[in-house]
Amino acid sequence: GAGVSQSPSNKVTEKGKDVELRCDPISGHTALYWYRQRLGQGLEFLIYFQGNSAPDKSGLPSDRFSAERTGESVSTLTIQRTQQEDSAVYLCASSLAQGGGSPLHFGNGTRLTVT
Amino acid sequence: KNQVEQSPQSLIILEGKNCTLQCNYTVSPFSNLRWYKQDTGRGPVSLTIMTFSENTKSNGRYTATLDADTKQSSLHITASQLSDSASYICVVLAGNNRLAFGKGNQVVVIP
C-alpha cells in the first residue's frame, strides 16, 4: 500500500549490539518523526525531520541514538550499544507539512527487544 | 507534569454501550487537537482534528468535543463495537509546532 512502512517489524538483539531501524515515509511527505513507545506508556518524541532543514534532535535520550534522512526519503534510526531499557516499540510517522492541519501517518512500528 | 492528561486510564464496556473519554491539556498557545486510535500492534490512526473555533466534530460513531476555554476535550463512542477495543490518544499541537501526546485511554469492549 501507500502507507508508512517500517522494517523490521520485530528485532531481538543482545545487550551491547548496535541496531538500525528503517522507515519509508509516504511519498511527498516532507515531515518525518520518530517516537518511542514503552509498554503501557505514551509516545515519546525522539527526532523530527522537515525537508532539508536541520533536524530537531531534542528528544534523543542519549548520544547512543542517532537518525538520518536523505532529502524527503527513507530514514534510519540507529541505536548503538543497546541497553535493556531501549526495549520498546519505535514508531515512525510522516506528514505533508509541519504541524498545521496535516495528520501524522504512522507506520506499525518496530518492536525492539534487548536481551 | 504531562501537558496532556487523559482519563480514565482504562475502561471496559459492553458491546453496544456508549462511552466518553476525557482529555485535559495545558498546552499554550493552542493550535489544534487530534484524537488518534491505536489498535494493538499497530500505529496510531487519526480520527478527528479540532481547531480553536470548533466545538464538536464527528467521524462515524466517534464524536469529539472541544472547550478551548477550559482546555478540555472529549471523545464519545456511540454503540460500541468489538473493533473499538484500542488505545485512544489525545494529541495537542502547540503554537510553536510542538506536539504533546497523552498516554492514551485504553478501551476494551466485551461481548
Side-chain angles (χ1 to χ4, degrees), chain B residues 19-85:
Chain B
C19 71
T20 300
L21 313 176
Q22 300 290 342
C23 173
N24 295 342
Y25 61 93
T26 59
V27 173
S28 182
F30 169 85
S31 182
N32 63 47
L33 182 149
R34 288 185 187 274
W35 283 93
Y36 285 81
K37 178 187 180 190
Q38 185 176 22
D39 292 313
T40 300
R42 307 297 293 268
V45 175
S46 179
L47 291 176
T48 64
I49 177 174
M50 302 188 73
T51 58
F52 184 89
S53 59
E54 296 175 301
N55 299 119
T56 185
K57 183 169 284 187
S58 292
N59 177 359
R61 293 178 297 100
Y62 300 104
T63 299
T65 66
L66 174 66
D67 185 334
D69 291 330
T70 61
K71 298 187 177 181
Q72 295 180 325
S73 176
S74 66
L75 182 68
H76 186 77
I77 305 175
T78 303
S80 60
Q81 300 178 357
L82 297 179
S83 59
D84 293 331
S85 295

Side-chain angles (χ1 to χ4, degrees), chain A residues 37 56 58 100-104 108, chain B residues 32 34 36 38 42-44 98:
Chain A
Q37 187 174 33
D56 178 354
S58 60
S102 302
L104 298 183
N108 287 328
Chain B
N32 63 47
R34 288 185 187 274
Y36 285 81
Q38 185 176 22
R42 307 297 293 268
R98 278 295 181 100

Side-chain angles (χ1 to χ4, degrees), chain A residues 33 35 37 40-45 56 58 91 98-109 111, chain B residues 9 31-32 34 36 38 41-46 49 87 89 91 93 96-99 101-104:
Chain A
Y33 305 76
Y35 292 92
Q37 187 174 33
Q41 299 296 312
L43 275 70
E44 176 187 358
F45 169 75
D56 178 354
S58 60
L91 288 162
Q98 178 186 14
S102 302
L104 298 183
H105 295 263
F106 285 86
N108 287 328
R111 180 175 298 278
Chain B
Q9 182 178 359
S31 182
N32 63 47
R34 288 185 187 274
Y36 285 81
Q38 185 176 22
R42 307 297 293 268
V45 175
S46 179
I49 177 174
S87 177
I89 304 170
V91 183
L93 177 67
N96 59 2
N97 280 322
R98 278 295 181 100
L99 289 167
F101 284 78
K103 292 186 178 181

Side-chain angles (χ1 to χ4, degrees), chain A residues 79-90:
Chain A
I79 308 173
Q80 297 177 309
R81 305 182 300 282
T82 53
Q83 304 294 313
Q84 289 185 331
E85 70 222 33
D86 299 335
S87 296
V89 174
Y90 290 83

